[in-house]
Amino acid sequence: MLKRPSLSAVPLLFAATMLTSPFGLHAAESKQIARSSNLGIELFGVGGDDWCKADSQLTLTRTNDSPLVGTEEKLFPKIAKIFNTECPQMETAQVVVNDASGATTRDFRISKKAGWNIVEDAPAKTAQAETPSNTPQEPPAQPAPTKTQEAPQPPKKQEPTLAQKQAEPEQKTAPAPAVAKEKYASLSKDNLFWLAAHEAPELLEDNRVIDQLATLKSCDRFLSVRSNEFALRDWRQEVKPTVVKNANAASDLFEFSFNFRVKRNYDFETSMLDIGSFTPKTQQYRAKCGWQDDFRDNTFGGRVDVSFEGLPDSFNRKIYLPDDLGRAAVDRLEATGNKVRITYRARLKGIGVSNDWGKRYELKAEFIDVKIHTGKQFDYLLVHHDADKFSAAREQHKIAREAAAEEQRKIEQERLAAQSAREEKLRRLQIEQENARAQELYESLAGNNAVPAKLAALYHDGNPAFNNPYDVAAKAISVGQKFPVRAFVRAGSRDSIGYRAEWPSRVYLTGSDLEEGEWYFVSGMGDGQKIDNTLLSIITVDEATKCDDRLCMSEDDVIDYVRSQYPQWTGKEE
């Protein structure tokens, strides 16, 4: 028997093309919604461009060897995101399944509230059941907000009823949804996990997620059946409808309180009471059923994190309480040890499963309403910021932060500009100093006071050092041995000893052939010797460089040499 591959093992490549494409009988009357060559399916919305409705008609055409044959309903929870994008108003859909020949093989109904799973209601009954279920739920929801929130709302509805009879239908229908949205749940572990499942209904396809949510209150029943495969299956089938129902009904509006000890400071000039900043920190909520069943291995993750962000410090810190109000507030704080209770109302939205250190579902809070109480029973209201005030404070805080950031940017730009100016000034000063030194070197080599021996030494081997030929004999006799010597000489006539220099006198050059009357820069070994009772300097030449009219270096050579020592030199001054 061939084993049919599971849906999770097949890579899904759906394309929400929304292009009218001919496929069998659907060319003129249908719109393609999704397609997968791996699964061998194409999904169409009946009605062409107008296919998207609250109660839509869908046609699923599949190949005969599709892995979904007989289990086509598994497709729809997987493509919930496509439905949310392409037809967000769709609540239910009737699905007709056709095989490759166009014959109808199945016909069933799916619902958004059920996570796009099959529902048993007939199309007519479902259409009628959904509308009443929404409308009756709104009026019963009115008393709950009235208790927890504001009593003046009912009179506001009655005044227009008496004064303006024509406005009755509009004012009765418009406030109803607003009242329904004002149901605030407590910030409990159960409610947060239900909201996380509501934000990601596709996770309910994981049996371990069902186990986790079904054991939020107690895990006794689960522990009694988990070791028996059939008993565990039956238990899951029993609890799953309740889990799905609770997830669908989860609200994203929450009310929660924190207690703080504040450091108060009353400013008499501005009548502002400063009680510091107390933004709540990220909270973690874990769902466990015994240490061995913390459910970290399921798709959902083992905990829900709530991130409280976006509450401006200026909104928390300072309260305008003039005169007697300020005195009463300070007295209440003093009597209770500066303790306050902050009650927040917020809307929580899911941002998905995170997998950095351990899987968890993250929720982010958008604050709606804040009340700050003090007193022995926290019965004294310091301040109440409603949604409008909160939005205004948050906008002001945003503007203040942007202004501070802009000011910081300007300061940084000014600092960088000043630093750049200083660096530019130092660079110009360094260039001027190098130019002065380069000019001084140029003038010492190319001017009227140029030292011929220095030019010749540079031309000889690049080393400007040279020795005085008259000192050679005295130094050699004093040290009792020869020593390296560099000298600038003019060769004279040759005799039995060597070339007697024309300049300077009393110098003999040996060991190399030279031309009489030419200037040379020589390097070799120096010694002293008496000839005809005269102390002479003897230089045994190892290397000799003949010099031209400019004593070895032309003016261009001098300029090149100066620039090799000072690259930034701008050139000789005229």
Side-chain angles (χ1 to χ4, degrees):
M1 179 179 294
L2 294 176
K3 185 177 180 180
R4 179 180 299 150
S6 64
L7 182 61
S8 60
V10 180
L12 300 181
L13 298 173
F14 294 112
T17 58
M18 293 302 294
L19 298 174
T20 304
S21 98
F23 186 88
L25 301 175
H26 307 288
E29 59 182 7
S30 301
K31 181 76 71 174
Q32 188 183 77
I33 303 171
R35 180 179 181 275
S36 172
S37 57
N38 291 332
L39 295 177
I41 61 96
E42 287 191 355
L43 182 65
F44 298 87
V46 179
D49 292 334
D50 298 326
W51 73 273
C52 179
K53 301 175 183 177
D55 186 12
S56 301
Q57 299 291 323
L58 305 178
T59 300
L60 178 67
T61 301
R62 58 159 178 78
T63 59
N64 293 335
D65 58 347
S66 170
L68 293 179
V69 174
T71 58
E72 292 85 354
E73 69 277 8
K74 292 184 178 181
L75 169 70
F76 299 97
K78 299 292 183 181
I79 62 172
K81 292 183 179 179
I82 295 179
F83 287 161
N84 293 338
T85 302
E86 304 299 337
C87 188
Q89 66 266 37
M90 184 169 66
E91 297 294 331
T92 57
Q94 191 72 22
V95 181
V96 176
V97 181
N98 295 333
D99 60 15
S101 65
T104 299
T105 60
R106 297 185 67 192
D107 187 355
F108 53 86
R109 191 168 187 80
I110 58 176
S111 169
K112 182 178 182 179
K113 290 184 177 181
W116 297 117
N117 289 301
I118 294 178
V119 293
E120 298 298 330
D121 294 342
K125 292 181 181 179
T126 305
Q128 294 175 359
E130 289 178 359
T131 305
S133 64
N134 291 333
T135 50
Q137 284 177 359
E138 295 172 358
Q142 295 177 6
T146 305
K147 292 179 182 178
T148 58
Q149 232 184 1
E150 300 178 357
Q153 287 185 357
K156 289 182 180 179
K157 295 178 183 179
Q158 294 176 2
E159 290 177 2
T161 305
L162 297 174
Q164 299 177 355
K165 296 182 180 180
Q166 297 178 352
E168 282 183 3
E170 298 177 357
Q171 293 188 355
K172 285 183 180 180
T173 54
V179 173
K181 291 182 180 179
E182 293 300 321
K183 293 191 300 182
Y184 289 87
S186 62
L187 196 72
S188 64
K189 175 185 68 176
D190 294 2
N191 290 332
L192 288 178
F193 272 88
W194 292 128
L195 176 59
H198 179 83
E199 292 288 311
E202 67 274 8
L203 300 181
L204 295 176
E205 292 302 312
D206 187 346
N207 285 331
R208 294 284 287 169
V209 173
I210 300 298
D211 297 347
Q212 180 181 359
L213 296 177
T215 56
L216 289 174
K217 294 293 185 183
S218 172
C219 61
D220 294 343
R221 180 86 181 278
F222 170 73
L223 293 177
S224 66
V225 301
R226 65 173 183 170
S227 60
N228 186 304
E229 295 89 339
F230 285 92
L232 180 60
R233 182 200 62 180
D234 295 341
W235 175 78
R236 284 172 176 166
Q237 291 177 349
E238 175 188 344
V239 300
K240 184 172 183 178
T242 302
V243 170
V244 174
K245 179 181 178 181
N246 289 339
N248 290 336
S251 171
D252 61 350
L253 296 176
F254 285 78
E255 183 176 81
F256 49 95
S257 299
F258 292 100
N259 295 336
F260 295 92
R261 185 185 296 276
V262 301
K263 294 182 179 180
R264 74 174 194 276
N265 180 33
Y266 188 81
D267 187 341
F268 289 93
E269 294 184 0
T270 60
S271 299
M272 298 293 287
L273 176 63
D274 190 341
I275 58 175
S277 177
F278 33 76
T279 303
K281 299 180 180 179
T282 299
Q283 301 289 324
Q284 296 180 358
Y285 298 83
R286 295 182 178 273
K288 291 187 177 181
C289 185
W291 65 269
Q292 71 275 34
D293 293 297
D294 58 5
F295 303 111
R296 282 180 295 181
D297 59 340
N298 66 23
T299 308
F300 203 126
R303 72 175 191 262
V304 173
D305 286 5
V306 181
S307 178
F308 304 104
E309 301 175 0
L311 191 65
D313 291 344
S314 60
F315 180 71
N316 285 331
R317 181 174 293 126
K318 294 184 179 181
I319 309 169
Y320 178 67
L321 294 172
D323 303 328
D324 292 340
L325 290 177
R327 177 181 293 275
V330 170
D331 290 345
R332 291 294 187 107
L333 287 167
E334 181 72 20
T336 57
N338 295 318
K339 293 179 181 179
V340 297
R341 172 172 289 176
I342 317 299
T343 300
Y344 299 103
R345 287 181 175 177
R347 175 175 284 104
L348 303 186
K349 291 294 183 183
I351 57 177
V353 177
S354 177
N355 289 286
D356 47 2
W357 283 99
K359 281 192 299 186
R360 66 184 186 276
Y361 199 92
E362 296 183 356
L363 294 169
K364 191 172 184 179
E366 296 179 1
F367 290 96
I368 297 174
D369 187 78
V370 177
K371 292 182 180 179
I372 305 175
H373 292 83
T374 188
K376 293 183 178 180
Q377 286 79 36
F378 295 108
D379 54 350
Y380 183 82
L381 180 63
L382 280 174
V383 69
H384 174 207
H385 299 283
D386 57 16
D388 294 337
K389 290 182 180 179
F390 181 82
S391 298
R394 184 163 50 189
E395 185 64 25
Q396 290 176 0
H397 184 63
K398 179 182 177 181
I399 294 174
R401 284 190 305 174
E402 292 176 350
E406 181 63 26
E407 183 66 22
Q408 186 62 34
R409 281 194 294 270
K410 289 182 180 179
I411 293 175
E412 183 65 14
Q413 289 176 354
E414 292 174 357
R415 185 189 68 81
L416 293 176
Q419 180 179 348
S420 178
R422 287 194 299 270
E423 292 175 352
E424 180 63 22
K425 183 178 180 180
L426 290 174
R427 190 179 68 85
R428 288 198 300 267
L429 179 61
Q430 183 179 4
I431 292 175
E432 292 174 359
Q433 292 175 347
E434 289 190 359
N435 277 338
R437 288 194 294 266
Q439 188 67 27
E440 183 179 353
L441 175 61
Y442 170 78
E443 291 174 353
S444 70
L445 296 176
N448 295 330
N449 297 324
V451 181
K454 191 173 186 178
L455 293 173
L458 290 172
Y459 187 73
H460 178 66
D461 58 7
N463 183 358
F466 58 91
N467 302 105
N468 186 342
Y470 289 118
D471 296 337
V472 173
K475 183 175 180 181
I477 291 174
S478 64
V479 300
Q481 61 183 9
K482 297 180 179 181
F483 64 92
V485 64
R486 298 159 58 85
F488 180 62
V489 298
R490 185 173 185 180
S493 60
R494 185 172 186 175
D495 57 18
S496 59
I497 299 175
Y499 294 92
R500 185 162 188 168
E502 293 183 359
W503 184 94
S505 60
R506 302 195 303 275
V507 173
Y508 266 94
L509 304 171
T510 65
S512 182
D513 293 332
L514 304 175
E515 295 182 23
E516 184 179 348
E518 297 294 336
W519 286 94
Y520 289 92
F521 190 86
V522 297
S523 58
M525 299 299 292
D527 195 6
Q529 184 177 351
K530 278 188 176 183
I531 301 176
D532 297 333
N533 294 323
T534 302
L535 182 62
L536 300 176
S537 298
I538 307 298
I539 299 177
T540 303
V541 178
D542 294 331
E543 184 178 355
T545 300
K546 182 180 178 181
C547 296
D548 55 15
D549 296 339
R550 187 61 184 85
L551 302 175
C552 298
M553 294 187 75
S554 66
E555 186 176 7
D556 290 339
D557 294 331
V558 173
I559 292 175
D560 292 340
Y561 173 73
V562 173
R563 282 180 175 161
S564 70
Q565 303 300 310
Y566 300 96
Q568 295 179 335
W569 183 45
T570 56
K572 67 171 183 174
E573 295 181 357
E574 297 296 339

